[in-house]
Structures are given as structure tokens and as C-alpha cells.
Amino acid sequence: MRTQVAIIGSGPAGLLLSHLLYLEGIESVIVERRDADHVKSRIRAGILESGTVGLLKEAGLGERLNEEALEHRGIYLQWPGERHHVDFVRHTGRPVWVYGQTELTADLMAAREHAERVAFYEADDVALHDIEGSHPHVTFRDSQGVRRCVDADVIAGCDGFHGPSRAAMPATGRRTWGRTYPFAWLGVLAAVAPSTDELIYAWHPDGFALHSMRSPRVSRFYLQVSPDEDGDEWRDDRIWEALATRLGEGHRGWRLRTGPITEKSVLPMRSFVTTPMRHGRLFLAGDAAHIVPPAGAKGLNLAVADVALLSRALVAWLRDGSEELASAYSDTALRRVWRCTHFSWWMTTMLHRHGDDFDAQLQLAQLHRVVASEAAARELAENYAGLPIEV
Ligand code: FAD
Ligand code: DHB
């Protein structure tokens, strides 16, 4: 089988890339390891920057987003005895939207099915070949066990942190940077109306907590736990108690509503960047090239920004014959990646309990600064609400 762009991975990066290329008349084929239902049901990120929302709407993906996404002006920052609103719209003119990654994935998969773009789910032994030559191709066994080969002009590695694309880049010239954090998140989904109008990021001596949401009837919470934590050790009443304490129940009469917990899992936390994001005819996008800890809500938005740049570059190259944007892709994308890597690290280290009491006082001093200074609040707001695709 032959196509123009062989895309490995059917996460948000791969699906959106395929859609943006299709709109410009460029063919692609997706090869994905998991089955389609699994891909659709993975609960992950929840916040979209306004640039992300603008891009999705321009790409004709705004129908359900317009109906169901919740527009938020800002976030609350909290520590014991204090809760402060940081107003992104006042500082930057831009809100953010709550719209689960599962919803975005469903929209992208529906668009792919509607346009009858080819995808192979449940692909095994996916391997990349000849990325330095002029005949790159991807081989795999399909869901029936039949060996297949997709020949392409270029390969897009959108296969997340554990996929084969990054490993296919030659070691010479490649560099990686990373940090693993000494804590993790216990993510909890609950069938209960949110107890807040906007997200609450809470610093607490027991550890960080985040109150997010998915809809007017579904809440999403995160609790800082240790990386080797067994999620099963967290019974529902223990979860609600920890959330109530860390989110400041009782402060000015605020109460946490509780309800049935429908999903919980422990998420490890790391920062990771690999460079370059292009080698020969292989381009990396999204988590295949970089991981951020989730406190800045950047992972999904970064994947979308990469793909916005990459689709433009591939259209210019494969349709119009100009390789200039493709040659600039890695450097252009990495400027934004490093900015978001810094912001995510900064939010993470400011909000999570680690180190000693001296560290705790520094964190509190930083939190006070963010809510007391217009300049400091604007710095957080600009980064959280989203920087331009090209920084
Ligand atoms: P992915 O979504 O990881 O997609 C990669 C795809 O490639 C997957 O479908 C995978 O099955 C496929 N693949 C892997 N290996 C192969 C192979 N060998 N062959 C073919 N296909 C393969 N971000 C936030 O901002 N907030 C959050 O709360 C948050 N929570 C997260 C929770 C978890 C458990 C994880 C893993 C991530 C979370 N993230 C969060 C990050 C965010 O979800 C990612 O940044 C985003 O999914 C990146 O999209 P992607 O398409 O680059 O990668
Ligand atoms: C969500 C996840 C985040 O990492 C974050 O910073 C805010 C919200 C969420 O899943 O809703």
C-alpha cells in the first residue's frame, strides 16, 4: 500500500495530523497498536488552550466543542486559609476550555471515519524503515495477523512516549533531557457535579490536590501520591477525605460534594525532551518527542501545536514542493516545547510537597507573589492560556 504520510499512532497528534493533511488534499494512513475502543476510552487531559480551540474550529471540528466545552476565565490558586482567582481573560484576553481528551479523540475519530481515511488498529510489530533514504516505509502485522507494508513520502511518529519512532532516530546527533519527579498523581473521575466554577490548584502540607471537571455532572480530581503508590490502597472514603482536607473544606463555608467514583489510576510524572524532532523523512510530534508533568495542562496542547506546524510543513513540501518549513520544523517546534517544559516544571515544583520546610516556605512565597503581583499573575496566565503556535 502507498500513501503520502504514514502516521504511527492514533492519539490526538496522529488523528489531528491526518485530519489537517486531509483538508489540504494530502493522503495519510494511520497505524495504531491498540484497538479503536481502547483509544477512545483513555481518560487523560482535560484543558484546551484558546489557540487549540481556534485551530479545531477552523478545521471543522467545532460542532460538539461549541455545545459541550466549558469556557473558563481562569483558575483558583489555593493554600491553607487562602483561595485566589487568577483571571486569564483580564491578563491575556484569552480563556481556556474544559473538554476531555476522550471527547476530542471521539470527534477526531468520527471525522476520520466520515472521510473514510485508512487506519489500521491493533497493529503488531510496527517498524520503521529507510528514514534516511527516499523510500521510507512502515511494516506491521494487522489485526488478522497479515504482514503489511505502507510506503510513504514521509513518516510521522505520533506514537507517544513508548512508541518505536523515537527509537528509530539514529543515536548520533540525538540528545535527550529529562527529570523524573519524586511524586505521582492519583487521578479520580466521579459522577458528581463540580463543587467549583473553575479549577482549583491547591498547595497543602499533605500534598497537592486539583479539582477539575468534565461536565456539569462529572468531576475530575487529582491527589499527589508517591510514585509507587498502589491505587487500590485508596478506598473511596479515603479519597474524599484527602480531597476535602487539601481543597480546604470549611474555608468560608466551602463544601466538597461527593459521589460515586467511576475511575481511578496512578499517573507517573516526568519531564522529557528529545532533539531533533526530525531526521531524514521521519518527523516526531507530541509525546513521542516530549513529555511534561501535567500541572500546567500542556501535554495535549503541545501535541496539537506540533501537529499544526508539522501539517503546514508537510503540505508545503509534498504539495507545493518547498522543503523550507519541513527543515525548520524541529527548531520551531522546540522553542515552544522548551517554553512549555519550563512552565510545567515551574507549576509542578511550586505546587507539590517535596523537600523540607524551607522548600515549603519558598513555595508559599512564590504563590503569594503570583496572586499579589500583576506581572507575576500575567506570567502564569500567558503560559497557561497558551502562547502563540510560533513563539
Ligand atoms: P498519545 O496520546 O500517547 O498517543 C500515542 C498513540 O500511539 C497511542 O494511541 C498509542 O497506543 C500509539 N502507539 C504506541 N506505541 C505504538 C506502536 N508500537 N505502534 C503503533 N502505535 C503505537 N496531559 C495533560 O495535559 N493533563 C492530564 O491530566 C494528562 N493526563 C495524562 C494521563 C496519562 C495516563 C497519560 C499517558 C498522559 C496524560 N496527559 C495529560 C498527557 C496527554 O494526554 C498527552 O500529552 C497526549 O495524549 C499526547 O498525545 P499524543 O498523540 O502525542 O500521544
Ligand atoms: C486536568 C488535568 C491537568 O493536568 C490540569 O492541569 C488541569 C486539568 C484535567 O484532567 O481535567
Side-chain angles (χ1 to χ4, degrees):
M1 171 179 279
R2 186 168 170 85
T3 190
Q4 289 174 288
V5 182
I7 299 175
I8 308 181
S10 169
L15 286 166
L16 182 60
L17 178 63
S18 162
H19 184 77
L20 295 176
L21 292 174
Y22 161 77
L23 295 179
E24 298 294 335
I26 303 286
E27 277 176 21
S28 65
V29 168
I30 291 179
V31 180
E32 161 64 48
R33 182 170 62 101
R34 310 302 295 251
D35 67 72
D37 286 342
H38 176 91
V39 170
K40 269 188 213 159
S41 63
R42 284 188 298 220
I43 299 167
R44 289 182 169 180
I47 299 287
L48 303 185
E49 298 171 358
S50 43
T52 300
V53 168
L55 185 138
L56 295 172
K57 286 185 182 173
E58 259 176 50
L61 295 160
E63 199 178 321
R64 246 164 35 92
L65 193 64
N66 281 332
E67 296 267 300
E68 293 176 27
L70 307 172
E71 184 175 339
H72 283 192
R73 281 188 73 93
I75 55 168
Y76 295 101
L77 283 180
Q78 173 180 306
W79 56 96
E82 299 203 33
R83 183 179 292 175
H84 298 267
H85 191 242
V86 181
D87 189 330
F88 302 159
V89 176
R90 186 165 73 76
H91 287 297
T92 71
R94 299 192 300 279
V96 294
W97 276 265
V98 172
Y99 195 63
Q101 185 167 329
T102 37
E103 306 308 318
L104 176 58
T105 305
D107 295 345
L108 287 165
M109 285 180 84
R112 188 196 64 72
E113 280 158 26
H114 182 74
E116 297 178 356
R117 276 175 277 137
V118 180
F120 293 93
Y121 285 89
E122 299 178 76
D124 259 341
D125 295 337
V126 177
L128 298 82
H129 310 272
D130 199 24
I131 58 170
E132 289 175 344
S134 50
H135 301 289
H137 52 286
V138 176
T139 55
F140 58 98
R141 267 186 294 112
D142 71 13
S143 59
Q144 308 303 311
V146 177
R147 290 220 66 87
R148 296 215 177 232
C149 177
V150 177
D151 294 297
D153 296 320
V154 301
I155 300 174
C158 302
D159 43 359
F161 186 66
H162 300 286
S165 295
R166 190 176 62 254
M169 294 268 204
T172 337
R174 203 175 112 199
R175 265 198 86 177
T176 60
W177 290 263
R179 173 145 314 168
T180 21
Y181 297 89
F183 38 77
W185 279 7
L186 177 70
V188 173
L189 196 68
V192 61
S195 307
T196 178
D197 56 341
E198 295 190 343
L199 271 59
I200 306 170
Y201 286 79
W203 182 98
H204 192 275
D206 293 354
F208 170 74
L210 171 59
H211 187 333
S212 182
M213 60 194 76
R214 284 291 177 272
S215 75
R217 288 168 304 283
V218 176
S219 297
R220 177 83 168 142
F221 301 97
Y222 298 97
L223 283 167
Q224 179 183 346
V225 295
S226 80
D228 52 8
E229 196 87 21
D230 175 1
D232 294 336
E233 291 287 306
W234 285 81
R235 291 186 327 276
D236 292 6
D237 53 349
R238 183 176 171 210
I239 290 172
W240 289 118
E241 209 179 295
L243 286 170
T245 304
R246 297 186 195 184
L247 291 167
E249 185 160 76
H251 176 63
R252 299 202 172 151
W254 184 79
R255 290 263 161 269
L256 177 67
R257 286 189 203 106
T258 62
I261 288 176
T262 53
E263 199 265 349
K264 66 180 172 195
S265 51
V266 176
L267 320 171
M269 221 165 272
R270 64 160 71 84
S271 295
F272 176 85
V273 180
T274 189
T275 66
M277 287 171 64
R278 174 198 179 177
H279 181 78
R281 288 179 175 253
L282 169 62
F283 295 79
L284 301 180
D287 280 15
H290 42 74
I291 298 280
V292 289
K298 288 288 154 246
L300 174 57
N301 292 292
L302 258 186
V304 169
D306 282 357
V307 158
L309 290 172
L310 182 54
S311 60
R312 238 185 278 164
L314 294 182
V315 169
W317 191 14
L318 302 180
R319 194 186 62 191
D320 308 331
S322 165
E323 203 183 330
E324 203 178 322
L325 290 177
S327 302
Y329 168 70
S330 181
D331 287 346
T332 313
L334 281 165
R335 269 193 292 280
R336 195 172 205 287
V337 167
W338 276 115
R339 173 88 294 284
C340 294
T341 298
H342 175 268
F343 176 66
S344 304
W345 164 86
W346 178 75
M347 287 285 279
T348 302
T349 47
M350 175 172 69
L351 287 163
H352 291 76
R353 205 59 176 95
H354 63 99
D356 56 19
D357 288 348
F358 178 70
D359 292 291
Q361 292 306 321
L362 294 181
Q363 291 176 314
L364 290 167
Q366 180 67 72
L367 284 162
H368 276 112
R369 174 76 186 154
V370 169
V371 301
S373 151
E374 284 281 310
R378 181 168 307 119
E379 176 62 8
L380 187 153
E382 280 184 5
N383 280 279
Y384 195 112
L387 296 159
I389 297 276
E390 287 185 57
V391 290

